[in-house]
Amino acid sequence: MNVRLASREGLLTGFINLCCILLGLTGLAGTMVGGWFHLSSRQPGAWLLLLGIAVWGGVRAVRRVPDPSRNKTLIAGLVAGVMHGLTLAVSLWLISTLLDAGAEVRKWLVQLTPEAIRLLTFGLSPVAAAALMFVVMTTAGLVGALWVRASERYPWQRTLSKGPTTVRTRFLALPAVQNFMQRKHSQQILWGGGLLILLFFPFVLGQYWNYTLGTVGIYVILGLGLNIVVGFAGLLDLGYVAFFAIGAYIVAILTAPAPHGIMMNFWLVVPIGIVLAALAGVLLGIPVLRMRGDYLAIVTLGFGEIIRILSKSDALTDFTGGPRGIRSVGGPGLFGFDVSSEFYFMYIIILGIVLAAYVTLHLQQSRVGRAWMAMREDEDVAQAVGIYTLQYKLLAFATGAALAGFSGVIFASRNKFTGPEDFTLLVSINVLCLVIIGGMGSIPGVVAGALVLKGLPEILRQLADYRMLAFGALLILMMIVRPEGLWPSTRRQMELHERAEQSGEPDAGSSPETGP
Amino acid sequence: MNILAAHKVTKRFGGLVAVDALDFTIPQGSIVSLIGPNGAGKTTFFNCITGFYRPEDGSLFFNDVSLTALRPDQITAMGIARTYQNIRLFANMTVMENVLVGQHTRLKTGMLGAILRSPRARQEEAEALEKAQEMLRFVGLAGRGDWMAKNLPYGDQRRLEIARALASKPTRLRDALGLTILLIEHHMRVVMGISDRVTVLDYGVQIAEGTPAEIQGNPRVIEAYLGRGAASGLGQKTAVVAAAA
């Protein structure tokens, strides 16, 4: 039985490796590794990727063995390596034979250039290259098996998944931190310090990073709003972008010279945008919130699309600028100065985040927040303990919509433009993703999620065309390793609980530094 | 005086008459049990009282106020709280939060108060916490406030559910024990032991009403219910309505 499982792992990882080759990822790895180490050849990087996946196959195969003796481990690794090697060797032979015969492989597989194949064949004949591949991959499978035996004493995987939480509890258990937390104004000092750092932030960043992180910040506000709807109240809203769009169009219509020429002051438009978006939330909520779960998700999804399609419809072209959108959206001014550069917008966004976090945090720890959570847990019982569920759903929807409207106002004004294509379904899904990745119902989680989801693609620009592929792979990896989210919500009381349990260790140990 | 009075209450589901012109009263301060075989309509009637179902016909009065047009949360606010046959807690909230949610209708803090943490909101929150502590002490869960509800052992979950139900009472606990209780319970020893009066339902119709002793001797009850071998009890199914005095 173990042989069957091991060979399945070998085939699986072999197939993954084959996909990497066919999609040109091996070549990409070669370029990147070559770039980092200033190598003239792309071969080291390409083989590093191939071998890495093959070793992983060996590791996976060994993990399938229930009680691994030395022989069983080696056999599992060998079987996986052989299957892996066979898969790749046969494919490589096939591909290089086809290429030699002059077949137009590139018609379907753009990345399969003769040069890319030469990375793998070293210019050998098809049969020799296949044999080499087979031997190398079999060895890699064995190496994986040996590695598992060697690393058994150190369960690195568990460390990886629990690492951040452990670091946090350890940090909170430090005597110095404990002392600080017990001081009277520790909370205020922390907030003040954090704010001060944020105030200097935009100075340090260049224009590019001010713009990029500004986008991240807008998504943080969006995420905080959706966090109330999905994380607290448990209402799956897939049309959240609608309220973002409403905020953006309100500032555009009221401040741009083009379709209407109202040209209102930006600061006056902010509250109007927030209130109208919240109102839209209530208006949508009244008919829609009688539904639950999947049905609610589908209806809100439809609503999001309706708003986008309306904004570019012919009927409303005079009002919304149609598909071409609205240009020259007004920016904020302060005492006659124009403060609409990325630099100043960063401050507006930071202020917005702080306000949104303040509101969310206070709501979470109040009668209102508890009512939302109760609804999320069990709607019927929530009603039975006296919560008027429709009212509280509307409140959640309106609060979320207000925050989305606010970020929409900032977004359109900062871009000096708004158009229907800014508000596709993908925005809703992105915001939902960042809430889930950060950890549902957690405020710092939203910030972490936004940084990962909107910041990471910027960092991954190196990967060029493969950016979104790598991004998707990272997301999947994250959901496997940390399904609870990057920074899951632990209630304050729960933290205290943990701290009380942990504090015994450092106190009993050495803590002479805690003096004055 | 009757705290709850039902007159000819009828609830239909399509062609099925689940509760058929039921007359039912609960005297103030008493413990009244509702029993009957599975499917007799006990839970349906219960849901009519608590507002989850709207009866097609008949009237329901709680302290002379009609319940038939009210929502569940409004009925709870009047002082009717319930627990469930199969315990239904807010699993991913702490024990303390469960009791605090139970006080929902007694608290007033709205959106603005919560966001700004107004002095009134803070004071109300402090009082609510204190009252919740008292409830937890009363049911024997003192010191468990930080636990997740789902991590409590089964018996303690039931205690918490009772604490949550009691928390919706308007009065402080020491005045609160003059409860009126409507009990649905399959465990006959419990029913016969604590009830002042027992009502027996079968197919939505009341087939007997009286003291426990009268019920035990009633031939119709024996035929409909006890005769089927259920007398020894069908397990731990319990549901309670506790009504404020």
Side-chain angles (χ1 to χ4, degrees):
Chain A
M1 274 302 104
N2 290 335
V3 174
R4 216 189 67 189
L5 286 173
S7 54
R8 206 174 71 184
E9 294 299 334
L11 277 175
L12 181 78
T13 48
F15 184 70
I16 292 175
N17 235 342
L18 181 63
C19 289
C20 287
I21 295 172
L22 295 181
L23 292 172
L25 284 179
T26 20
L28 178 77
T31 319
M32 279 177 62
V33 173
W36 292 337
F37 297 103
H38 305 289
L39 303 172
S40 55
S41 161
R42 291 166 62 195
Q43 245 144 11
W47 281 91
L48 209 64
L49 179 69
L50 290 179
L51 287 173
I53 293 174
V55 169
W56 179 48
V59 170
R60 284 185 61 106
V62 176
R63 289 262 156 80
R64 292 283 183 163
V65 183
D67 55 318
S69 70
R70 197 171 127 220
N71 287 342
K72 275 188 186 168
T73 310
L74 290 182
I75 290 172
L78 188 71
V79 170
V82 166
M83 296 313 288
H84 195 119
L86 273 178
T87 317
L88 284 191
V90 170
S91 329
L92 188 62
W93 174 78
L94 203 69
I95 293 166
S96 41
T97 317
L98 280 173
L99 277 176
D100 283 353
E104 293 257 343
V105 187
R106 290 197 63 192
K107 212 169 177 180
W108 301 286
L109 297 162
V110 193
Q111 299 293 337
L112 226 51
T113 57
E115 199 261 331
I117 292 303
R118 216 169 300 126
L119 281 178
L120 307 174
T121 61
F122 296 95
L124 295 168
S125 75
V127 177
L132 177 72
M133 181 63 92
F134 178 72
V135 172
V136 172
M137 290 300 142
T138 309
T139 322
L142 271 176
V143 169
L146 289 173
W147 188 42
V148 172
R149 277 194 76 78
S151 67
E152 233 155 31
R153 287 169 184 237
Y154 188 64
W156 57 276
Q157 227 186 2
R158 211 176 302 154
T159 322
L160 192 69
S161 63
K162 291 212 172 135
T165 322
T166 320
V167 168
R168 190 154 60 116
T169 42
R170 287 271 165 81
F171 175 73
L172 289 173
L174 285 177
V177 177
Q178 289 268 297
N179 272 357
F180 178 73
M181 295 301 271
Q182 271 149 24
R183 280 176 54 175
K184 205 176 167 193
H185 295 291
S186 59
Q187 286 280 317
Q188 283 88 335
I189 293 172
L190 273 181
W191 275 94
L195 265 180
L196 217 64
I197 293 174
L198 282 180
L199 280 183
F200 282 105
F201 213 45
F203 278 106
V204 188
L205 303 168
Q207 198 188 359
Y208 170 74
W209 281 109
N210 263 330
Y211 184 79
T212 308
L213 286 181
T215 311
V216 173
I218 288 173
Y219 271 82
V220 170
I221 303 177
L222 277 172
L224 285 172
L226 191 65
N227 188 39
I228 291 176
V229 182
V230 181
F232 293 173
L235 306 164
L236 186 51
D237 179 0
L238 292 181
Y240 191 58
V241 68
F243 307 120
F244 186 52
I246 288 171
Y249 268 100
I250 283 167
V251 74
I253 289 168
L254 291 182
T255 64
H260 306 288
I262 300 171
M263 309 273 283
M264 268 171 81
N265 184 307
F266 173 83
W267 300 110
L268 279 176
V269 177
V270 173
I272 296 176
I274 291 174
V275 168
L276 286 185
L279 206 66
V282 173
L283 285 181
L284 167 71
I286 289 171
V288 156
L289 286 176
R290 290 171 197 283
M291 291 171 216
R292 292 185 184 188
D294 314 354
Y295 303 102
L296 178 68
I298 291 167
V299 174
T300 50
L301 183 94
F303 178 70
E305 283 299 284
I306 287 171
I307 291 287
R308 185 177 66 86
I309 291 167
L310 268 184
S311 72
K312 67 175 185 182
S313 68
D314 288 341
L316 289 176
T317 301
D318 293 339
F319 190 64
T320 62
R324 289 160 74 197
I326 299 176
R327 282 157 207 287
S328 309
V329 178
L334 209 60
F335 308 116
F337 293 104
D338 179 45
V339 290
S340 57
S341 69
E342 271 88 43
F343 175 75
Y344 290 111
F345 259 111
M346 196 70 203
Y347 281 110
I348 297 176
I349 290 167
I350 288 174
L351 188 73
I353 293 173
V354 171
L355 275 179
Y358 180 86
V359 167
T360 321
L361 191 74
H362 278 193
L363 282 177
Q364 186 182 17
Q365 297 166 353
S366 74
R367 171 174 175 263
V368 180
R370 285 193 301 263
W372 282 336
M373 282 188 276
M375 256 169 20
R376 177 192 69 197
E377 294 295 311
D378 191 327
E379 200 175 320
D380 291 330
V381 181
Q383 210 170 5
V385 298
I387 295 164
Y388 184 18
T389 45
L390 186 65
Q391 180 195 348
Y392 275 85
K393 282 178 177 180
L394 285 177
L395 271 181
F397 235 57
T399 318
L403 287 176
F406 179 43
S407 45
V409 169
I410 297 176
F411 181 74
S413 174
R414 193 182 66 143
N415 288 352
K416 300 185 174 57
F417 169 79
T418 192
E421 295 319 309
D422 286 342
F423 308 110
T424 56
L425 176 63
L426 199 65
V427 178
S428 296
I429 291 179
N430 260 330
V431 179
L432 186 65
C433 277
L434 78 87
V435 171
I436 291 169
I437 284 172
M440 281 244 257
S442 152
I443 295 167
V446 169
V447 179
L451 275 174
V452 168
L453 213 77
K454 291 315 278 184
L456 207 58
E458 291 302 320
I459 296 166
L460 291 177
R461 270 195 193 283
Q462 249 201 83
L463 297 175
D465 294 342
Y466 298 96
R467 193 157 65 115
M468 292 326 268
L469 185 67
F471 184 54
L474 273 176
L475 289 192
I476 292 170
L477 186 76
M478 232 223 58
M479 291 326 272
I480 293 171
V481 180
R482 267 183 89 78
E484 73 275 30
L486 285 173
W487 194 319
S489 68
T490 17
R491 307 278 162 61
R492 229 169 66 78
Q493 297 100 310
M494 301 298 286
E495 276 178 25
L496 291 171
H497 210 67
E498 279 177 16
R499 225 182 294 161
E501 281 171 7
Q502 294 251 336
S503 61
E505 297 167 30
D507 283 353
S510 58
S511 57
E513 299 105 324
T514 45
Chain B
M1 186 210 152
N2 292 326
I3 191 165
L4 188 100
H7 182 65
K8 300 237 174 290
V9 168
T10 304
K11 177 71 198 170
R12 295 186 196 90
F13 295 107
L16 176 79
V17 187
V19 177
D20 194 359
L22 185 65
D23 287 318
F24 188 79
T25 56
I26 306 178
Q28 173 105 45
S30 64
I31 299 177
V32 175
S33 285
L34 197 57
I35 62 172
N38 288 332
K42 305 181 294 290
T43 306
T44 305
F45 181 60
F46 220 85
N47 282 332
C48 289
I49 297 174
T50 47
F52 281 92
Y53 293 155
R54 197 149 288 182
E56 269 83 34
D57 209 355
S59 59
L60 272 163
F61 287 93
F62 178 73
N63 280 337
D64 296 328
V65 181
S66 174
L67 298 180
T68 36
L70 297 180
R71 293 188 311 266
D73 53 282
Q74 291 171 324
I75 291 173
T76 307
M78 293 174 63
I80 298 182
R82 76 183 283 188
T83 65
Y84 293 82
Q85 254 183 331
N86 41 347
I87 299 172
R88 287 171 79 172
L89 291 169
F90 302 119
N92 291 310
M93 294 170 76
T94 64
V95 168
M96 177 61 79
E97 283 171 330
N98 267 277
V99 184
L100 286 173
V101 171
Q103 296 184 46
H104 183 87
T105 54
R106 305 295 155 215
L107 306 178
K108 292 185 182 63
T109 308
M111 284 291 278
L112 263 182
I115 291 172
L116 301 174
R117 292 238 168 117
S118 63
R120 231 179 57 204
R122 282 180 203 217
Q123 197 198 341
E124 190 184 77
E125 189 75 8
E127 284 169 10
L129 270 169
E130 195 187 322
K131 190 178 165 191
Q133 296 280 14
E134 194 186 331
M135 293 293 167
L136 288 179
R137 269 199 301 279
F138 177 68
V139 297
L141 286 176
R144 295 281 176 89
D146 297 344
W147 283 43
M148 282 286 164
K150 64 180 173 193
N151 294 338
L152 286 177
Y154 182 85
D156 285 350
Q157 292 198 359
R158 176 62 81 197
R159 287 160 189 264
L160 177 56
E161 203 183 28
I162 292 169
R164 186 181 67 192
L166 287 176
S168 72
K169 282 187 53 60
T171 45
R172 308 249 333 163
L173 191 62
R174 62 176 175 274
D175 316 318
L177 291 173
L179 296 172
T180 306
I181 291 174
L182 168 58
L183 178 74
I184 298 184
E185 164 69 65
H186 286 281
H187 204 288
M188 283 308 141
R189 220 173 302 159
V190 176
V191 171
M192 298 308 169
I194 68 168
S195 303
D196 296 317
R197 299 196 72 83
V198 178
T199 295
V200 188
L201 287 188
D202 197 17
Y203 296 107
V205 184
Q206 177 185 314
I207 56 169
E209 199 276 332
T211 62
E214 290 166 7
I215 295 299
Q216 275 167 319
N218 187 312
R220 281 193 70 188
V221 177
I222 293 168
E223 182 199 322
Y225 192 9
L226 301 179
R228 294 180 203 172
S232 55
L234 295 172
Q236 298 293 324
K237 289 178 162 187
T238 314
V240 181
V241 160

